[in-house]
Amino acid sequence: QVQLQESGPGLVKPSQTLSLQCTVSGGSITNADYVYNWIRQSPGKELEWLGSATRGNINFYNPAFKSRTIISSDTTRNLVSLQLNSVTPEDTATYYCALWVLSLADFDSWGQGTQVTVSS
């Protein structure tokens, strides 16, 4: 089973850039059957899909976040990164990476999530 683990800062100041990493084990980010997603949940709110990364670094984004979101893949370290620019307190949330398997048409693995607080 593919295992995912998020990492990054727990506290970010408003207007700064949030950078998170999803380390992948038991699978390769270059696998054409895998789509790696970044998803978040703010306190008291529903899950929000931020974007995803596919083989060849062809990415997809939620239009609501596209202007300030970059998802990139590092094949050497086998990880997928999330960059969220110009953060505000509304970006305070638990951030998850999750694996969607195309052949299963379903999510297969989730990281445990990492809490991020945006505050001065």
Side-chain angles (χ1 to χ4, degrees):
Q1 182 180 6
V2 175
Q3 294 182 320
L4 310 174
Q5 183 174 353
E6 305 90 347
S7 62
L11 178 64
V12 183
K13 294 181 178 180
S15 80
Q16 293 187 338
T17 296
L18 170 64
S19 296
L20 299 175
Q21 293 77 46
C22 175
T23 301
V24 179
S25 61
S28 175
I29 62 173
T30 63
N31 191 324
D33 197 36
Y34 293 169
V35 179
Y36 292 91
N37 301 266
W38 281 101
I39 299 167
R40 75 179 189 184
Q41 185 169 36
S42 298
K45 297 184 178 180
E46 71 281 359
L47 292 168
E48 294 180 300
W49 175 73
L50 299 173
S52 60
T54 63
R55 188 182 67 172
N57 204 30
I58 300 175
N59 302 325
F60 301 88
Y61 298 95
N62 184 335
F65 304 99
K66 182 177 178 61
S67 64
R68 60 191 185 101
T69 302
I70 298 175
I71 296 175
S72 58
S73 302
D74 186 332
T75 57
T76 301
R77 295 187 290 171
N78 208 41
L79 59 83
V80 179
S81 300
L82 168 70
Q83 179 178 305
L84 184 63
N85 299 317
S86 303
V87 299
T88 73
E90 291 293 323
D91 295 311
T92 294
T94 299
Y95 287 75
Y96 301 89
C97 57
L99 172 64
W100 175 275
V101 181
L102 292 171
S103 61
L104 298 178
D106 197 7
F107 286 105
D108 180 74
S109 302
W110 288 73
Q112 65 179 352
T114 184
Q115 295 185 77
V116 177
T117 298
V118 179
S119 176
S120 60

